[in-house]
Amino acid sequence: MTARTSLEAAVMLLSESPGEAMASDFRAACVELADAEAVCRSRDTPATRRRVEECRDRIDAILDMWNAAGHAR
């Protein structure tokens, strides 16, 4: 998982709208999920399956925030 530094977070507050930030987080989470699924396909272990589940949970949380912010159509 890629975490943002405090400086990166501060710059985002100045340069991205909340919707843009969520969309960026969603894209990053999707890439992480694809990577985790690829690793799981080549090495199926409880740890790799847990990583896939964590990525899916992150995507769900981002989508919940998106909907709560009123971006749902």
Side-chain angles (χ1 to χ4, degrees):
M1 178 185 288
T2 304
R4 291 193 172 127
T5 66
S6 297
L7 178 59
E8 289 171 329
V11 169
M12 281 188 50
L13 287 174
L14 298 174
S15 63
E16 288 185 333
S17 71
E20 290 169 333
M22 280 186 272
S24 177
D25 287 346
F26 180 76
R27 285 188 297 274
C30 289
V31 169
E32 288 177 26
L33 175 59
D35 291 344
E37 289 174 332
V39 169
C40 193
R41 280 191 300 276
S42 67
R43 192 177 65 243
D44 187 17
T45 66
T48 59
R49 288 192 300 272
R50 186 171 42 253
R51 181 67 185 128
V52 168
E53 187 61 33
E54 289 168 355
C55 290
R56 289 179 179 158
D57 289 345
R58 180 174 173 219
I59 289 171
D60 286 344
I62 294 167
L63 292 173
D64 287 345
M65 285 188 292
W66 180 265
N67 290 335
H71 295 287
R73 294 174 199 222

